[in-house]
Amino acid sequence: MSNNILPVKGTHDIFGLDMEKYNFIVDKFNMISAKFNFQSIQTPIIEHQELFSRSVGEDTDIVSKEMYSFVDKGDTTICLRPEATSSLARFAASNYQSGQMKFSTHGPMFRRERPQKGRYRQFHQINIENIGEKSSYIDFEIILIASTILKEIGLEADQYTLLINSLGSPEDQINYSKILSGYLNQYKKNLSETSLTRLEKNPLRILDSKDESDKEILLNAPKINDYLSKESQNFFNDIKLMLTDNNILFKEDEKLVRGLDYYTHTAFEFQTNEEKRQNAILAGGRYDKLINMISSRDIPGIGWAAGIERLSDLLSDQKNYTQIPKKILYAVQEESYLSNSSILKQIYRADIRHEIKVNKNIKKLFTYADKNKFNFILLIGEEEFKSQSIILKNLDDKSQKLYKQNEIILVNEIR
Ligand code: ATP
Ligand code: MG
């Protein structure tokens, strides 16, 4: 006897209700993104590590601490993707011609974080990106789609909050970086070690620090919003107007800077209002610098990603998430009773979730149907076999009827 092999730390199997919710979320996501003319794409799970060190940024946690990377046969350094945006930006950098490239994708992402509820080392995201053009409408639309999906999967408006901020243009960020450095330089003694190194290389990163002493210093730091150019302010105002026009509630949050290096202008995050340790359910923003960081081209883009596990965790356990409706158990006492296949054919033809079960003990067949939440049991026992009849019992309202095997029309009976 040997020990069971468990899943790798921070990974989990998705099964049963969790899998039903997962598929339900992905189906809604595909439907809604297709309606807005986004095209489905799948990119590889392994990428060159350089893609992320150049896009997400060397001194982010994701790249500096959390990457699963390995040297492939002494040749190139390859990693498991920690996010999808960089891969889509890579694709766009090579394939973009004109207009908008609108992508939707979903799948596993990998980050070597400390595992906790809602925080895994392999987790799954749904993700959309609109690459190629810059307009405030596009930013509004990408947030509208996010909000529509949250509604359509069944979340109530009071379950979450939309936070938005503007990080300004690349020029705004350069100006503001200097101002922020000036402020933080006065508090060098109290800054965390990571923030001290960032102060030299990339002071904006410090805004995202989770260190308590850093956070306190940041409370009174100058805010990026106060240093936006007129143009950046107008761009942001247009988006807010459209959100308001379309009844999408939001809160401005000047502390929202997002964890990645490549964001410019609009940044947003949907957070759950429920008491959860991990409250970020969907996050994104505009990244006009990103494609130029990984290629010679300069193409603007915006997108978001949502954690499927975190969304799933907010969905009620009481609803039915499968599309095929009634579950029917076709139960017979003897294998040979199944030889009248006209009933089987009806079952196969109809859109009914079904299972076939043979057991000499009728009581066991009923117990099985109850335990597995079947809505109907279709039964041929010894007596029914002799009289060429069949019982259909509705297990929800307990009503039961006897039919001739060659007369029953299943789809009429189980609506
Ligand atoms: P957090 O602040 O929770 O670490 P993040 O800013 O790192 O989130 P993003 O990189 O913006 O997250 O990813 C988008 C979404 O993916 C998050 O809003 C969250 O729902 C989900 N997500 C991110 N990391 C994890 C993880 N380790 N496990 C599960 N879901 C995750
Ligand atoms: Mg994170």
Side-chain angles (χ1 to χ4, degrees):
M1 278 269 263
S2 49
N3 294 335
N4 282 352
I5 297 174
L6 299 174
V8 171
K9 186 174 176 190
T11 71
H12 58 142
D13 302 306
I14 309 172
F15 184 67
L17 181 63
D18 287 337
M19 194 68 233
E20 287 176 16
K21 289 180 179 179
Y22 184 108
N23 287 334
F24 171 76
I25 290 168
V26 172
D27 286 349
K28 288 279 185 203
F29 167 72
N30 283 334
M31 214 173 65
I32 294 162
S33 53
K35 189 173 120 170
F36 283 89
N37 206 27
F38 282 68
Q39 277 184 297
S40 220
I41 180 170
Q42 283 292 336
T43 58
I45 283 168
I46 52 174
E47 292 275 6
H48 291 292
Q49 162 152 347
E50 192 190 353
L51 173 65
F52 302 101
S53 44
R54 273 162 63 180
S55 60
V56 174
E58 293 280 9
D59 37 64
T60 56
D61 285 351
I62 291 182
V63 171
S64 67
K65 300 184 204 149
E66 298 169 0
M67 287 271 256
Y68 281 99
S69 41
F70 59 96
V71 179
D72 189 19
K73 303 258 186 227
D75 199 3
T76 38
T77 304
I78 281 178
C79 69
L80 302 182
R81 62 179 185 192
E83 55 126 44
T85 306
S86 302
S87 303
L88 297 170
R90 169 186 59 66
F91 181 85
S94 304
N95 296 286
Y96 178 75
Q97 288 171 339
S98 63
Q100 295 171 32
M101 268 184 137
K102 298 160 89 172
F103 300 123
S104 64
T105 191
H106 66 91
M109 307 296 154
F110 304 84
R111 298 182 192 176
R112 201 174 190 293
E113 307 197 67
R114 192 168 69 76
Q116 317 158 45
K117 175 117 183 82
R119 187 174 296 283
Y120 308 100
R121 292 182 171 178
Q122 175 175 341
F123 61 100
H124 301 80
Q125 287 183 336
I126 48 175
N127 177 259
I128 63 173
E129 312 288 341
N130 187 338
I131 297 176
E133 289 175 358
K134 182 179 169 195
S135 84
S136 48
Y137 178 77
I138 291 176
D139 293 43
F140 155 72
E141 186 188 79
I142 212 100
I143 300 175
L144 168 74
I145 296 169
S147 153
T148 308
I149 288 170
L150 298 185
K151 252 184 241 154
E152 287 283 316
I153 62 171
L155 300 189
E156 302 291 339
D158 62 0
Q159 267 184 289
Y160 56 86
T161 304
L162 164 60
L163 303 175
I164 58 171
N165 193 19
S166 172
L167 308 179
S169 64
E171 299 75 47
D172 294 342
Q173 292 185 2
I174 293 169
N175 287 337
Y176 171 69
S177 271
K178 289 183 196 142
I179 291 159
L180 184 65
S181 294
Y183 170 83
L184 292 173
N185 264 312
Q186 312 167 70
Y187 300 95
K188 265 184 157 167
K189 277 206 308 281
N190 301 325
L191 282 176
S192 69
E193 213 162 301
T194 332
S195 291
L196 272 179
T197 48
R198 286 172 177 168
L199 186 57
E200 303 303 320
K201 288 197 269 181
N202 191 348
L204 286 182
R205 285 241 58 77
I206 300 176
L207 296 174
D208 209 30
S209 170
K210 307 266 194 294
D211 181 272
E212 288 307 321
S213 146
D214 289 354
K215 280 199 208 161
E216 206 170 305
I217 298 170
L218 287 168
L219 281 179
N220 296 315
K223 302 284 180 276
I224 191 160
N225 320 61
D226 298 330
Y227 298 90
L228 297 184
S229 65
K230 196 81 209 134
E231 212 183 331
S232 301
Q233 282 176 30
N234 290 341
F235 188 79
F236 192 37
N237 284 336
D238 288 346
I239 297 163
K240 287 187 281 186
L241 276 177
M242 278 184 275
L243 290 172
T244 307
D245 263 358
N246 286 277
N247 304 321
I248 298 175
L249 300 179
F250 61 86
K251 274 197 194 133
E252 280 188 65
D253 180 357
E254 43 196 24
K255 290 202 290 298
L256 183 74
V257 288
R258 310 284 306 113
L260 319 178
D261 263 3
Y262 50 59
Y263 286 112
T264 48
H265 293 286
T266 321
F268 56 92
E269 186 160 300
F270 287 79
Q271 297 184 347
T272 163
N273 298 336
E274 291 175 22
E275 269 305 311
K276 303 253 185 223
R277 285 266 283 290
Q278 312 308 332
N279 63 355
I281 50 178
L282 182 156
R286 173 162 284 286
Y287 45 80
D288 296 341
K289 295 185 292 187
L290 168 60
I291 292 181
N292 194 242
M293 287 153 84
I294 58 165
S295 74
S296 56
R297 303 182 76 181
D298 207 359
I299 309 168
I302 182 167
W304 56 252
I308 299 180
E309 286 85 354
R310 291 195 194 169
L311 291 174
S312 199
D313 194 43
L314 296 175
L315 298 188
S316 149
D317 287 349
Q318 310 311 325
K319 285 196 208 152
N320 177 19
Y321 294 101
T322 52
Q323 301 304 317
I324 312 179
K326 299 285 179 187
K327 260 174 120 183
I328 187 163
L329 181 70
Y330 182 20
V332 293
Q333 257 184 313
E334 298 285 345
E335 192 99 33
S336 61
Y337 297 175
L338 290 171
S339 61
N340 176 353
S341 67
S342 75
I343 289 177
L344 275 181
K345 277 184 193 139
Q346 286 195 47
I347 292 179
Y348 298 152
R349 254 201 321 270
D351 243 352
I352 311 170
R353 226 140 67 96
H354 67 273
E355 204 170 298
I356 313 295
K357 193 155 182 69
V358 184
N359 195 315
K360 291 205 180 354
N361 184 331
I362 292 197
K363 215 172 142 201
K364 280 199 176 145
L365 289 170
F366 274 98
T367 313
Y368 182 83
D370 271 341
K371 207 171 145 203
N372 292 284
K373 302 203 170 71
F374 281 90
N375 304 97
F376 293 92
I377 187 165
L378 195 57
L379 181 80
I380 305 180
E382 204 183 332
E383 266 175 52
E384 289 77 37
F385 182 69
K386 280 190 192 138
S387 59
Q388 284 300 293
S389 56
I390 187 163
I391 293 171
L392 178 66
K393 180 165 182 185
N394 181 328
L395 295 168
D396 299 327
D397 67 14
K398 313 284 180 227
S399 63
Q400 170 171 327
K401 260 170 102 177
L402 191 72
Y403 300 84
K404 280 278 166 221
Q405 283 184 26
N406 57 6
E407 281 172 7
I408 184 168
I409 299 175
L410 263 181
V411 287
N412 291 347
E413 305 305 324
I414 56 171
R415 273 181 292 208

